Amino acid sequence: MFSFIVVLEGGPPVQSQVISTLQQKTSASLCLLKKSSPTACCYHHRVSLCMAIPIAILDCDLLLHGRGHKTLERFDLDTVSNSVLLSNFGFPRDFILYLVELLRETLSRRTLRSRAISPEVQVLAALGFYTSGSFQTSMGDIIGISQASMSRCVTNVTKALVEKAPQFITFNKDPSNREYSFQEFQRVAGFPAVLGVLDCVQVAIKAPNSDASSYVNKKGFHSIACQLVCNARGLLLSAETWPGGLQDTKILQRSAISKQLQDNEEGWLLGDGRYPLKKWLMTPVESPGTAAEFQYNLAHTVTHEIVDRTFRAIQTRFRCLDGIKGNLQYSPERSSSILLACCVLHNASLHSGLDAWTLERTEPLEQPKGPEQTLEDRDSEAEELRKHIILKHFS
């Protein structure tokens, strides 16, 4: 007889099946020694010498289903109610099925290179993580995979969604789109010629292994900064990620949206008082002194609030971003990809007819501080343009 240790990786229901299979094949019993992780268990196994393996780490999913299977159908979407899908995965069945078809080719291609987990299960695993913020054992049990498999699924789906970002997040300067944007924004509070509303938000991450100081933001924690531009419906037109320690104004200077709008001749974005006034970026009047300036600032604030509401709704739906269950425990690169994947899902859900702000969390808005500018930094043409807007539309 010979002793060896088997480590089983997988949820308890899957482990039970593997234990039964091992006992039948070895005619021996397994004794639980200890838990090495929430979903990994060590067993002491005595078998004949001809079957001896000193230490084996066995993935239950692989043992039960093997590498030859094309798919592992662990979870049947058609047999589960919409309420269960919404409570566990954050979206109704129709949208989940749409997402599966959208990503099927990419996920199937990646599946052939590694494990045979169906696109349906991979999408559910990723949505479970995005909307809950953790790799819970219970989530793996619901769809029948281990935490290790969940992690791989999240990686695959995140990469697939990021690849779709140019399809779902676009700033279109086509004249018809521009006119539609002007009309939609003007209905909000009467502010004319608005192309989009701009803000920069922070998502907490763990301290990076290198260059950690670049990710410490003004509030003192490590984060990824994400510069967002959205339309009047909360649809994202631009989403760019940067180290959290970079100032909002520096991010804007280096961003693709800034370069795209430098020569813009019609319309502008709205930004809060942190940003410098530009011909393509209207900001509030710092010290309003007339009724018209107060009216301008009021319309600006009401309209600009759309981007704050949009990100609050994104954080509420995708709990992995809200920091309540802890920071994202990944590298800045992977955290940025997860953030961008959630932005793609937000836009995809809007295209599918879901409400941008159904799940919006309410909280007080942070009051921005004005930018530190010298007289030399001021854009005199932009100031004249803002005066013209106030005189024409708010007097």
Side-chain angles (χ1 to χ4, degrees):
M1 300 295 288
F2 189 85
S3 295
F4 70 89
I5 294 173
V6 179
V7 180
L8 298 182
E9 175 64 46
V14 186
Q15 289 178 9
S16 298
Q17 296 177 55
V18 173
I19 292 167
S20 176
T21 302
L22 286 174
Q23 287 174 334
Q24 292 172 12
K25 291 184 179 297
T26 61
S27 299
S29 60
L30 291 98
C31 176
L32 176 63
L33 296 181
K34 67 173 184 175
K35 273 198 169 186
S36 58
S37 80
T39 59
C41 291
C42 289
Y43 293 86
H44 182 258
H45 197 354
R46 295 186 64 83
V47 295
S48 60
L49 182 61
C50 64
M51 300 187 66
I53 307 172
I55 297 179
I57 300 177
L58 306 179
D59 190 308
C60 296
D61 295 330
L62 188 59
L63 281 172
L64 288 176
H65 303 281
R67 291 185 183 277
H69 275 58
K70 294 298 181 184
T71 59
L72 298 183
E73 300 298 345
R74 301 174 173 84
F75 190 91
D76 187 357
L77 276 169
D78 294 330
T79 64
V80 182
S81 67
N82 253 335
S83 60
V84 171
L85 293 173
L86 284 166
S87 62
N88 287 286
F89 307 105
F91 292 95
R93 178 185 290 101
D94 288 347
F95 179 75
I96 294 174
L97 291 173
Y98 160 75
L99 200 60
V100 169
E101 292 308 312
L102 178 70
L103 305 179
R104 183 179 294 280
E105 182 180 354
T106 303
L107 295 180
S108 298
R109 193 165 62 244
R110 291 195 172 109
T111 295
L112 292 175
R113 294 201 299 266
S114 53
R115 294 273 306 289
I117 298 179
S118 70
E120 288 81 358
V121 171
Q122 292 186 64
V123 167
L124 288 171
L127 291 179
F129 167 71
Y130 297 146
T131 57
S132 71
S134 63
F135 291 114
Q136 297 174 348
T137 303
S138 58
M139 182 63 68
D141 291 343
I142 289 172
I143 56 179
I145 61 174
S146 66
Q147 283 185 326
S149 295
M150 275 200 68
S151 180
R152 288 191 290 271
C153 290
V154 171
T155 298
N156 288 344
V157 173
T158 298
K159 289 180 179 178
L161 287 169
V162 170
E163 289 175 5
K164 296 290 184 182
Q167 176 181 335
F168 286 94
I169 305 175
T170 59
F171 189 86
N172 194 330
K173 294 175 66 177
D174 179 83
S176 61
N177 282 315
R178 183 181 60 211
E179 289 302 321
Y180 180 76
S181 175
F182 290 173
Q183 294 171 17
E184 288 290 292
F185 274 115
Q186 188 140 15
R187 290 193 189 102
V188 175
F191 208 108
V194 179
L195 296 167
V197 282
L198 166 80
D199 200 6
C200 193
V201 297
Q202 302 287 337
V203 174
I205 63 171
K206 72 172 184 178
N209 294 327
S210 60
D211 198 24
S213 61
S214 296
Y215 292 88
V216 178
N217 61 36
K218 62 184 179 182
K219 292 187 176 180
F221 61 86
H222 295 89
S223 66
I224 293 293
C226 185
Q227 181 179 274
L228 302 173
V229 177
C230 73
N231 71 7
R233 295 191 302 119
L235 186 77
L236 298 175
L237 307 176
S238 173
E240 301 181 50
T241 58
W242 300 82
L246 204 58
Q247 291 181 351
D248 296 345
T249 52
K250 296 294 184 184
I251 290 173
L252 179 62
Q253 288 175 9
R254 302 177 188 182
S255 67
I257 197 73
S258 174
K259 295 177 175 64
Q260 191 174 353
L261 290 173
Q262 286 295 332
D263 299 323
N264 184 63
E265 295 183 354
E266 188 173 1
W268 36 74
L269 302 180
L270 299 188
D272 61 29
R274 289 172 293 182
Y275 294 104
L277 180 67
K278 302 287 184 183
K279 287 189 292 184
W280 51 269
L281 178 62
M282 290 292 110
T283 61
V285 176
E286 190 171 347
S287 300
T290 67
E293 288 176 343
F294 276 104
Q295 191 62 35
Y296 166 92
N297 275 9
L298 177 60
H300 187 289
T301 299
V302 171
T303 308
H304 182 265
E305 189 185 17
I306 292 171
V307 69
D308 297 293
R309 290 184 61 198
T310 297
F311 187 66
R312 289 201 301 270
I314 291 172
Q315 281 187 309
T316 304
R317 172 165 272 149
F318 303 109
R319 293 290 185 180
C320 65
L321 304 178
D322 69 7
I324 292 176
K325 291 189 177 181
N327 305 339
L328 281 174
Q329 297 297 303
Y330 305 103
S331 67
E333 293 75 20
R334 190 173 180 190
S335 296
S336 295
S337 293
I338 290 171
L339 174 53
L340 186 55
C342 291
C343 290
V344 172
L345 284 172
H346 169 78
N347 273 15
S349 68
L350 283 186
H351 286 310
S352 298
L354 299 182
D355 190 341
W357 300 310
T358 300
L359 301 176
E360 180 192 1
R361 185 178 69 246
T362 57
E363 60 185 25
L365 296 176
E366 180 184 355
Q367 296 301 314
K369 296 180 179 178
E372 296 180 0
Q373 296 184 88
T374 63
L375 290 175
E376 291 77 12
D377 295 328
R378 292 184 179 277
D379 186 329
S380 58
E381 291 186 15
E383 290 186 344
E384 287 301 316
L385 176 59
R386 184 169 65 181
K387 288 178 182 178
H388 174 74
I389 294 170
I390 293 171
L391 180 64
K392 183 176 179 180
H393 298 277
F394 298 100
S395 295

